Amino acid sequence: MKYCVNCGHELGVGRYCTNCGHPVDADVPARPTRSEAPPTEPPAGAPPPPARFPLFADEGPDPMPTSAIGLEPLEPATHHRRPRPAYGVWIGVALVLVLIACLGGYLLLSGDDDSPDQASGPASSSSKPKPKPSTSAEPSDTSTPSEPGDVTSTATVDVPDTAPPGQDTQGKPVTYDATNMLDGDPETTWRMAGDGSGQELTITLPQETTLSSVGLLNGYAKTAVGPKGGAVDWYHGNRRIDSVEWVFDDGSSVSQDLGDTTDVQSVDVDVTTTTVTLRLVAVSEPGTGPASRDYTAISDLSLISAG
């Protein structure tokens, strides 16, 4: 252990004595000043004098202030920290939106079929099961009896083909749609190109009906004034129906032969049906002269209900 050669104080780790400030490495004790008493050796066994703390021998004197040399003191550097993006806020907002969307989807898909007991949790003993639909219900008869009389206008008809529209002798447009057979006007007609033998027309009534007679007007029953003033006979100019067969829902059928007349020709029946199939068995050749047309025509149908 080393002691200061000047004051005898125990030396530390610095280069100067912490008691008197004498350099540690000096071989000769510092020369005392007049005001200082010569150093005396501490008696043997006496504790060393207390250290004068705080004294840091290794620290140099305070640096000279800048004001002493005519320089302005420097402002301490301030570093502006760049604000961080508020990622946490946006993540929180996104989570809230996802929760709202999930809740809305659940409410939309839940529907109105759930009872309060089912919606609140597991079924309890007080919840009643939904009744099952009965599979042994007797079929109800929705058909109503038709009024006696002509039911042709209430029907619909499907045809195999329809001729394109044209013009009459006065230049007026004329159509040949299937509905012309249901309007009761003999001067309107349905017709199809060529020989209609073997073709079928399907007539559908709005409900099951008991029919007492069926019939038709078997050609284009219209007479017009020609360009030169003469009469044009469209009935004999187009093809006419010579014979037909009427077929009903129960599989029964009635055959009918038709004459050369512009009146409706009917046949008596006694059948309850919803559909009537009109099969064209035989068709005449087209007429001759200016009115000759290669079309199969029917002006009107007749369906009479027995009530």
Side-chain angles (χ1 to χ4, degrees):
M1 185 176 294
K2 293 182 180 183
Y3 295 93
C4 179
V5 296
N6 184 43
C7 65
H9 186 73
E10 183 180 355
L11 296 176
V13 295
R15 293 180 298 168
Y16 298 90
C17 177
T18 60
N19 185 46
C20 65
H22 186 75
V24 173
D25 296 333
D27 296 333
V28 181
R31 196 172 184 177
T33 61
R34 293 182 179 181
S35 60
E36 294 178 343
T40 59
E41 292 292 335
R52 296 179 298 173
F53 294 103
L55 178 63
F56 302 95
D58 291 339
E59 293 184 0
D62 294 336
M64 182 178 294
T66 56
S67 58
I69 59 177
L71 298 176
E72 293 294 331
L74 296 176
E75 293 292 335
T78 58
H79 299 283
H80 297 282
R81 301 181 66 182
R82 186 176 181 180
R84 297 180 179 178
Y87 294 114
V89 176
W90 291 110
I91 293 175
V93 172
L95 291 176
V96 171
L97 293 177
V98 170
L99 290 175
I100 293 174
C102 293
L103 180 60
Y106 171 76
L107 294 177
L108 288 175
L109 295 176
S110 61
D112 298 331
D113 293 335
D114 292 337
S115 65
D117 293 337
Q118 292 171 335
S120 60
S124 62
S125 59
S126 61
S127 62
K128 296 181 180 180
K130 294 182 180 180
K132 296 182 179 180
S134 175
T135 58
S136 61
E138 294 294 331
S140 58
D141 185 8
T142 57
S143 63
T144 57
S146 59
E147 295 294 330
D150 193 342
V151 294
T152 309
S153 62
T154 66
T156 59
V157 58
D158 293 327
V159 296
D161 195 10
T162 299
Q167 292 183 347
D168 63 10
T169 56
Q170 306 300 319
K172 297 179 181 179
V174 179
T175 62
Y176 305 102
D177 298 331
T179 53
N180 290 339
M181 293 184 288
L182 308 174
D183 61 5
D185 184 357
E187 293 194 349
T188 62
T189 191
W190 162 79
R191 71 180 186 181
M192 60 172 291
D195 185 356
S197 299
Q199 299 295 331
E200 293 183 351
L201 290 70
T202 303
I203 306 159
T204 304
L205 296 166
Q207 60 190 13
E208 193 175 66
T209 304
T210 300
L211 298 176
S212 61
S213 72
V214 291
L216 72 156
L217 199 167
N218 67 337
Y220 191 3
K222 179 179 180 180
T223 300
V225 178
K228 299 181 179 180
V232 178
D233 184 4
W234 294 120
Y235 179 77
H236 290 98
N238 289 264
R239 292 177 180 266
R240 299 171 305 283
I241 312 301
D242 290 336
S243 63
V244 296
E245 183 180 13
W246 302 90
V247 183
F248 308 102
D249 287 347
D250 60 1
S252 61
S253 62
V254 175
S255 297
Q256 181 184 13
D257 293 328
L258 301 166
D260 187 6
T261 176
T262 55
D263 295 330
V264 174
Q265 303 176 67
S266 298
V267 59
D268 292 337
V269 295
D270 184 10
V271 64
T272 300
T273 190
T274 303
T275 61
V276 179
T277 301
L278 176 60
R279 183 175 298 128
L280 308 183
V281 177
V283 176
S284 71
E285 295 294 328
T288 59
S292 176
R293 298 290 185 273
D294 188 13
Y295 292 99
T296 299
I298 298 176
S299 290
D300 278 321
L301 295 174
S302 176
L303 303 174
I304 306 301
S305 170

